[in-house]
Structure formats: structure tokens, C-alpha cells
Amino acid sequence: MNPERLQAQCFEFIARTAPADAAHDLSHIKRVVKTTLYLTDIEQANIEITLPAACLHDCVSVSKDSPLRSQASRLAADAAVEFLTGMDYPGELLADIAHAIEAHSYSAAIPCRTLEARVVQDAD
């Protein structure tokens, strides 16, 4: 895996959809990715999980007043897995990536089961 190429592909995917609010735009995602990479190094987490999870954690944009708001992280996880599957990303990593995306949001109330999920949650 080439991290720079993966990141560029993820950002291209993200750029195709407008964020529901300015707090979750591409600049926000880039800050989360930067912090995730820093924490991944410190915590010795698996970058093949943390990087795509951070890049795609807000790939589905749900407005704050939508009835689907509480499901936003699950919707993003599903979309991320579909995108990564289309890129032939290693299938054995997809469940952990999806979990990290689902658990990143405190409002989803999904406990982090992995170090990688904790890293992405803390970075966000």
C-alpha cells in the first residue's frame, strides 16, 4: 500500500460530495488524517487501518437536523467499505476499517474495540 496514493484516492472520493456542514469539509478530514498519522506512529497502530478510516470517516455527509444523523458513522463505514472494495483494498482489513469509522463518533455510542478505532476517534 502506498499511503500517499491511497490518501489522494480517498480525497478524490470525498471531494465528489459536498459536506452537510463546514465543520466536516475536506480541510477537517485532512486535519484528522494528519493527527491520525501522528497517533498511529506513537501508538504503533496499523496504518493500513487507521489511514483509510481517517480519510473516509466523514465520507457520508448527514446534516445535523436529519433523522439519519445518529446513523452517519454507520453509513460512512458502509460507503467506505464499498469504495475500498472497488479499489481492491485487502479484504481482511475492511471490517476493522469499518469499525474504526463507526466508532469514531461519540454520538454513535459504539465502544472502540481496537487500538485503531481509538486512534481515529481521538484524532477526530
Side-chain angles (χ1 to χ4, degrees):
M1 173 201 68
N2 177 317
E4 292 81 19
R5 184 162 186 246
L6 173 64
Q7 195 170 320
Q9 289 173 315
C10 288
F11 290 165
E12 286 174 22
F13 174 68
I14 299 287
R16 290 186 222 143
T17 61
D21 61 77
H24 295 96
D25 63 3
L26 190 56
S27 294
H28 161 74
I29 292 167
K30 288 180 177 181
R31 288 189 301 275
V32 171
V33 168
K34 182 177 180 178
T35 304
T36 294
L37 292 173
Y38 174 75
L39 293 173
T40 294
D41 185 50
I42 289 173
E43 298 293 332
Q44 298 181 343
N46 185 343
I47 191 172
E48 292 181 315
I49 297 169
T50 60
L51 179 59
C55 288
L56 299 170
H57 78 279
D58 281 337
C59 69
V60 171
S61 188
V62 179
S63 65
K64 296 281 185 192
D65 59 350
S66 170
L68 296 176
R69 184 65 188 161
S70 65
Q71 299 172 38
S73 65
R74 285 187 178 97
L75 296 170
D78 291 345
V81 166
E82 184 177 331
F83 171 72
L84 293 168
T85 299
M87 290 179 42
D88 292 325
Y89 205 76
E92 66 273 9
L93 300 174
L94 295 177
D96 285 338
I97 293 167
H99 170 66
I101 293 171
E102 288 175 345
H104 90 274
S105 171
Y106 285 102
S107 63
I110 298 170
C112 293
R113 297 186 317 256
T114 65
L115 171 62
E116 290 75 19
R118 288 189 298 275
V119 164
V120 174
Q121 186 181 66
D122 286 351
D124 187 48

